[in-house]
Coordinates of all heavy atoms in Angstrom, one line a residue:
V39 N 167.0 -53.1 197.5 CA 166.7 -54.5 197.5 C 167.1 -55.1 196.1 O 167.6 -56.3 196.0 CB 165.2 -54.8 197.8 CG1 164.9 -56.2 197.6 CG2 164.9 -54.4 199.2
F40 N 167.0 -54.3 195.1 CA 167.5 -54.8 193.7 C 169.0 -55.0 193.7 O 169.5 -56.0 193.2 CB 167.1 -53.8 192.7 CG 167.5 -54.1 191.3 CD1 166.8 -55.1 190.5 CD2 168.7 -53.6 190.7 CE1 167.2 -55.4 189.3 CE2 169.1 -54.0 189.5 CZ 168.4 -54.9 188.7
A41 N 169.7 -54.1 194.4 CA 171.2 -54.3 194.5 C 171.5 -55.5 195.3 O 172.5 -56.3 194.9 CB 171.8 -53.0 195.1
A42 N 170.8 -55.8 196.4 CA 171.0 -57.0 197.1 C 170.7 -58.2 196.2 O 171.4 -59.2 196.3 CB 170.1 -57.0 198.4
G43 N 169.7 -58.2 195.4 CA 169.4 -59.3 194.5 C 170.5 -59.5 193.5 O 170.8 -60.6 193.1
T44 N 171.2 -58.4 193.1 CA 172.3 -58.5 192.2 C 173.4 -59.3 192.9 O 174.1 -60.1 192.3 CB 172.8 -57.1 191.7 OG1 171.7 -56.5 191.1 CG2 174.0 -57.2 190.8
L45 N 173.7 -58.9 194.2 CA 174.7 -59.6 194.9 C 174.3 -61.1 195.1 O 175.2 -62.0 195.1 CB 174.9 -59.0 196.3 CG 175.5 -57.6 196.3 CD1 175.5 -57.0 197.6 CD2 176.9 -57.7 195.7
V46 N 173.0 -61.4 195.2 CA 172.6 -62.8 195.3 C 173.0 -63.5 194.0 O 173.5 -64.6 194.0 CB 171.1 -62.9 195.6 CG1 170.6 -64.3 195.3 CG2 170.8 -62.5 197.0
G47 N 172.7 -62.9 192.9 CA 172.9 -63.4 191.5 C 174.4 -63.7 191.3 O 174.8 -64.6 190.6
L48 N 175.2 -62.9 191.9 CA 176.7 -63.0 191.8 C 177.2 -64.1 192.8 O 178.4 -64.4 192.7 CB 177.4 -61.7 192.0 CG 177.1 -60.6 191.0 CD1 177.7 -59.3 191.4 CD2 177.7 -61.0 189.6
G49 N 176.4 -64.6 193.6 CA 176.7 -65.6 194.6 C 177.5 -65.0 195.8 O 178.1 -65.7 196.6
A50 N 177.4 -63.7 196.0 CA 178.1 -63.0 197.1 C 177.4 -63.1 198.4 O 178.0 -63.1 199.5 CB 178.4 -61.5 196.8
I51 N 176.1 -63.3 198.4 CA 175.3 -63.4 199.6 C 174.2 -64.5 199.4 O 173.9 -64.8 198.3 CB 174.7 -62.1 200.0 CG1 173.8 -61.4 198.9 CG2 175.8 -61.1 200.5 CD1 173.1 -60.2 199.3
S52 N 173.7 -64.9 200.5 CA 172.7 -66.0 200.5 C 171.3 -65.4 200.1 O 170.8 -64.4 200.6 CB 172.5 -66.6 201.9 OG 171.3 -67.3 202.0
P53 N 170.7 -66.1 199.1 CA 169.3 -65.6 198.7 C 168.3 -65.7 199.8 O 167.4 -64.9 199.9 CB 169.0 -66.5 197.5 CG 169.9 -67.7 197.6 CD 171.1 -67.2 198.3
W54 N 168.4 -66.8 200.6 CA 167.5 -67.0 201.7 C 167.6 -65.9 202.8 O 166.5 -65.4 203.3 CB 167.6 -68.4 202.3 CG 167.3 -69.5 201.4 CD1 168.1 -70.3 200.7 CD2 165.9 -69.7 200.9 NE1 167.4 -71.1 199.9 CE2 166.1 -70.8 200.0 CE3 164.7 -69.3 201.2 CZ2 165.0 -71.4 199.4 CZ3 163.6 -69.8 200.5 CH2 163.8 -70.9 199.6
A55 N 168.8 -65.5 203.1 CA 169.0 -64.5 204.1 C 168.4 -63.1 203.6 O 167.7 -62.4 204.3 CB 170.5 -64.3 204.4
V56 N 168.7 -62.8 202.3 CA 168.2 -61.5 201.8 C 166.6 -61.6 201.7 O 165.9 -60.6 202.1 CB 168.8 -61.2 200.5 CG1 168.1 -60.0 199.8 CG2 170.3 -60.9 200.6
A57 N 166.1 -62.6 201.2 CA 164.6 -62.7 201.0 C 163.9 -62.7 202.4 O 162.9 -62.0 202.5 CB 164.3 -64.0 200.3
T58 N 164.5 -63.4 203.3 CA 163.8 -63.5 204.7 C 163.9 -62.1 205.3 O 162.9 -61.6 205.8 CB 164.6 -64.5 205.6 OG1 164.5 -65.8 204.9 CG2 164.0 -64.5 206.9
T59 N 165.0 -61.4 205.3 CA 165.1 -60.1 205.9 C 164.3 -59.1 205.2 O 163.7 -58.2 205.8 CB 166.6 -59.6 206.0 OG1 167.1 -59.6 204.7 CG2 167.3 -60.5 207.0
A60 N 164.2 -59.2 203.9 CA 163.3 -58.2 203.1 C 161.9 -58.4 203.4 O 161.1 -57.4 203.6 CB 163.6 -58.3 201.6
V61 N 161.4 -59.7 203.5 CA 160.0 -59.9 203.8 C 159.7 -59.5 205.2 O 158.7 -58.9 205.5 CB 159.7 -61.4 203.6 CG1 158.4 -61.8 204.2 CG2 159.8 -61.8 202.1
V62 N 160.6 -59.8 206.2 CA 160.3 -59.5 207.6 C 160.3 -58.0 207.7 O 159.4 -57.4 208.4 CB 161.4 -60.1 208.5 CG1 161.3 -59.5 209.9 CG2 161.2 -61.6 208.5
G63 N 161.2 -57.3 207.1 CA 161.2 -55.8 207.1 C 159.9 -55.2 206.5 O 159.3 -54.3 207.1
A64 N 159.5 -55.7 205.4 CA 158.2 -55.2 204.8 C 157.0 -55.5 205.7 O 156.1 -54.7 205.8 CB 158.0 -55.9 203.4
I65 N 157.0 -56.7 206.3 CA 155.8 -57.0 207.2 C 155.8 -56.1 208.4 O 154.8 -55.6 208.8 CB 155.9 -58.5 207.6 CG1 155.5 -59.4 206.3 CG2 154.9 -58.8 208.7 CD1 155.8 -60.9 206.6
L66 N 157.0 -55.9 209.0 CA 157.0 -55.0 210.2 C 156.7 -53.6 209.8 O 155.9 -52.9 210.6 CB 158.4 -55.1 210.8 CG 158.8 -56.4 211.5 CD1 160.2 -56.4 212.0 CD2 157.8 -56.6 212.7
G67 N 157.2 -53.1 208.7 CA 156.8 -51.8 208.2 C 155.3 -51.6 208.0 O 154.7 -50.6 208.4
D68 N 154.7 -52.6 207.3 CA 153.3 -52.5 207.0 C 152.5 -52.6 208.3 O 151.5 -52.0 208.5 CB 152.9 -53.6 206.0 CG 153.2 -53.3 204.6 OD1 153.6 -52.2 204.3 OD2 153.1 -54.2 203.8
G69 N 152.9 -53.5 209.2 CA 152.2 -53.7 210.5 C 152.2 -52.4 211.3 O 151.2 -52.0 211.9
F70 N 153.4 -51.8 211.4 CA 153.5 -50.5 212.1 C 152.6 -49.4 211.4 O 152.0 -48.6 212.1 CB 154.9 -50.1 212.2 CG 155.1 -48.8 213.0 CD1 154.9 -48.8 214.4 CD2 155.3 -47.6 212.4 CE1 155.0 -47.7 215.2 CE2 155.4 -46.4 213.2 CZ 155.3 -46.5 214.5
S71 N 152.6 -49.4 210.1 CA 151.8 -48.4 209.4 C 150.4 -48.6 209.7 O 149.6 -47.7 209.9 CB 152.1 -48.5 207.9 OG 153.5 -48.2 207.7
Y72 N 149.9 -49.9 209.7 CA 148.5 -50.2 210.0 C 148.2 -49.8 211.4 O 147.1 -49.2 211.6 CB 148.3 -51.7 209.8 CG 146.9 -52.2 210.2 CD1 145.9 -52.1 209.2 CD2 146.6 -52.6 211.4 CE1 144.6 -52.5 209.5 CE2 145.3 -53.0 211.8 CZ 144.3 -52.9 210.8 OH 143.0 -53.3 211.1
W73 N 149.1 -50.0 212.3 CA 148.9 -49.7 213.7 C 148.7 -48.1 213.8 O 147.8 -47.7 214.6 CB 150.0 -50.2 214.6 CG 149.9 -49.8 216.0 CD1 149.1 -50.4 217.0 CD2 150.5 -48.7 216.7 NE1 149.3 -49.8 218.2 CE2 150.1 -48.7 218.0 CE3 151.4 -47.7 216.2 CZ2 150.6 -47.7 218.9 CZ3 151.8 -46.7 217.1 CH2 151.4 -46.8 218.5
L74 N 149.6 -47.4 213.1 CA 149.5 -45.9 213.2 C 148.1 -45.5 212.7 O 147.5 -44.6 213.3 CB 150.6 -45.3 212.3 CG 151.9 -45.1 212.9 CD1 152.9 -44.5 211.9 CD2 151.9 -44.3 214.1
G75 N 147.7 -46.0 211.5 CA 146.4 -45.6 211.0 C 145.2 -46.0 211.9 O 144.3 -45.3 212.1
R76 N 145.3 -47.2 212.6 CA 144.3 -47.6 213.5 C 144.2 -46.7 214.8 O 143.1 -46.4 215.2 CB 144.6 -49.1 214.0 CG 143.6 -49.7 214.7 CD 142.6 -50.4 213.7 NE 141.7 -51.2 214.4 CZ 140.5 -51.3 214.0 NH1 140.0 -50.6 213.0 NH2 139.6 -52.0 214.7
H77 N 145.4 -46.3 215.3 CA 145.3 -45.6 216.6 C 145.4 -44.1 216.4 O 144.9 -43.3 217.3 CB 146.5 -46.0 217.5 CG 146.4 -47.4 217.9 ND1 145.2 -47.9 218.6 CD2 147.2 -48.4 217.9 CE1 145.4 -49.1 218.9 NE2 146.6 -49.5 218.4
Y78 N 145.9 -43.5 215.3 CA 146.0 -42.1 215.2 C 145.3 -41.6 213.9 O 145.7 -40.5 213.4 CB 147.5 -41.7 215.1 CG 148.2 -42.1 216.4 CD1 149.0 -43.2 216.4 CD2 148.1 -41.3 217.5 CE1 149.7 -43.5 217.6 CE2 148.7 -41.6 218.7 CZ 149.5 -42.8 218.7 OH 150.2 -43.1 219.9
H79 N 144.3 -42.2 213.5 CA 143.6 -41.9 212.2 C 143.1 -40.4 212.1 O 143.2 -39.8 211.1 CB 142.5 -42.8 211.9 CG 141.4 -42.9 212.9 ND1 140.4 -42.1 213.0 CD2 141.3 -43.8 214.0 CE1 139.6 -42.4 214.0 NE2 140.2 -43.4 214.7
A80 N 142.7 -39.9 213.3 CA 142.1 -38.6 213.3 C 143.2 -37.5 213.2 O 142.9 -36.4 212.9 CB 141.3 -38.4 214.5
H81 N 144.4 -37.9 213.6 CA 145.5 -36.9 213.7 C 146.6 -37.0 212.6 O 147.5 -36.2 212.6 CB 146.1 -36.9 215.0 CG 145.1 -36.8 216.1 ND1 144.4 -35.6 216.4 CD2 144.6 -37.7 217.0 CE1 143.6 -35.8 217.4 NE2 143.7 -37.0 217.8
L82 N 146.5 -38.0 211.8 CA 147.6 -38.2 210.8 C 147.8 -37.1 209.8 O 148.9 -36.8 209.4 CB 147.4 -39.5 210.1 CG 147.7 -40.8 210.9 CD1 147.4 -42.0 210.1 CD2 149.1 -40.9 211.3

């Protein structure tokens, strides 16, 4: 993600696109992790 930020700083890619995809990825990853803990807590 730092490397993607460098590309944003160089103007090679859109900051909004990188920020949006990074936030959505983090939310989905955290959400799935929470779900795993909720449903499989005894077996993790």
Side-chain angles (χ1 to χ4, degrees):
V39 173
F40 180 80
T44 301
L45 292 173
V46 167
L48 294 172
I51 56 177
S52 164
W54 292 107
V56 171
T58 301
T59 56
V61 167
V62 169
I65 289 170
L66 289 175
D68 281 349
F70 182 73
S71 296
Y72 177 85
W73 179 82
L74 278 177
R76 190 85 171 143
H77 293 308
Y78 297 104
H79 58 87
H81 305 290
L82 285 176

